[in-house]
Amino acid sequence: DGGITQSPKYLFRKEGQNVTLSCEQNLNHDAMYWYRQDPGQGLRLIYYSQIVNDFQKGDIAEGYSVSREKKESFPLTVTSAQKNPTAFYLCASSFAGGPGTGELFFGEGSRLTVL
Amino acid sequence: ILNVEQSPQSLHVQEGDSTNFTCSFPSSNFYALHWYRWETAKSPEALFVMTLNGDEKKKGRISATLNTKEGYSYLYIKGSQPEDSATYLCALHTSYDKVIFGPGTSLSVIP
């Protein structure tokens, strides 16, 4: 079945450690996105990528890094520089291509807790 | 930072009632307006993608309209059912594929 797979589903981290969240899609989508959700808030854009080897910062990129070496994969690293990393992280993908396209398909999310 | 707003923040309705929510956004430089439904313990799923001023979309009891000139979209649910309970998100698809979400409207339908 086509879809988006995020792993791990739950992750605990000690302060000062970097962690990497995995996002893989087999939908042949060009664009991929990372969002963060905090309690009582909506989805905030961290990074997004329209094409392999290219990505752009979203609204809250500080303390995060990404790579897009393959079309199928868009891992997110939460670095020790991220001040409040405890959150729910959602990965999404879509066909790129301009107006009228781009419905997002989402993974099941990864919940990161910093101890 | 581009701001997408939604109102109300939450809503409780009785089964059978009809209801509507609002999404407002800067009325220029965007490709499309999306609506998503996010049920508890599931992933968000797209309901509608709208691009043109005056666009109206319908899926069963749910419909949406778009006014690009004044920068708002309405989502309507006719005859709410308990299974409609979810958070409804709108999102603005800007140029270069940046997709910005509003904070959502949480709907609870009381049987």
Side-chain angles (χ1 to χ4, degrees):
Chain A
D1 280 3
I4 301 176
T5 302
Q6 288 187 239
S7 62
K9 196 168 183 179
Y10 299 96
L11 185 60
F12 297 89
R13 183 194 98 173
K14 291 183 180 179
E15 279 192 27
Q17 290 181 335
N18 292 355
V19 293
T20 297
L21 307 180
S22 170
C23 178
E24 304 276 334
Q25 55 97 0
N26 60 4
L27 300 168
N28 199 32
H29 284 169
D30 303 297
M32 297 188 74
Y33 306 80
W34 274 105
Y35 293 92
R36 166 183 174 143
Q37 190 203 27
D38 295 283
Q41 296 194 34
L43 300 177
R44 292 186 291 166
L45 182 63
I46 304 172
Y47 269 97
Y48 65 110
S49 167
Q50 296 171 261
I51 197 169
V52 173
N53 292 323
D54 189 36
F55 48 82
Q56 290 77 39
K57 292 182 179 180
D59 296 330
I60 56 165
E62 185 176 349
Y64 298 98
S65 66
V66 293
S67 63
R68 188 84 188 275
E69 296 176 3
K70 298 186 300 181
K71 187 176 185 178
E72 302 80 19
S73 179
F74 192 40
L76 174 74
T77 296
V78 185
T79 75
S80 56
Q82 168 50 233
K83 294 179 182 177
N84 297 296
T86 294
F88 183 67
Y89 292 86
L90 268 175
C91 178
S93 69
S94 72
F95 285 112
T101 59
E103 166 190 342
L104 266 58
F105 293 80
F106 287 87
E108 294 189 336
S110 294
R111 187 167 297 280
L112 172 64
T113 303
V114 175
L115 305 172
Chain B
I1 293 181
L2 190 151
N3 232 14
V4 178
E5 298 178 346
Q6 290 187 248
S7 63
Q9 184 177 358
S10 64
L11 200 53
H12 299 261
V13 300
Q14 292 288 334
E15 181 175 354
D17 287 350
S18 294
T19 187
N20 65 84
F21 329 130
T22 304
C23 174
S24 58
F25 50 88
S27 58
S28 62
N29 294 328
F30 75 98
Y31 284 155
L33 190 286
H34 301 193
W35 281 101
Y36 293 84
R37 174 166 57 201
W38 193 0
E39 298 177 67
T40 303
K42 293 186 178 180
S43 304
E45 290 186 345
L47 289 170
F48 306 113
V49 176
M50 298 186 289
T51 57
L52 302 174
N53 187 43
D55 234 355
E56 292 187 23
K57 300 263 183 170
K58 187 174 181 182
K59 186 183 289 188
R61 295 178 291 99
I62 304 178
S63 60
T65 61
L66 177 65
N67 184 322
T68 60
K69 292 182 180 178
E70 297 184 29
Y72 66 83
S73 175
Y74 294 140
L75 187 79
Y76 302 91
I77 302 179
K78 185 178 178 181
S80 302
Q81 299 297 308
E83 58 265 30
D84 296 328
S85 297
T87 296
Y88 291 83
L89 301 168
C90 74
L92 201 64
H93 187 158
T94 69
S95 57
Y96 301 106
D97 279 327
K98 192 174 186 179
V99 181
I100 303 297
F101 281 82
T105 293
S106 175
L107 173 67
S108 296
V109 181
I110 305 162

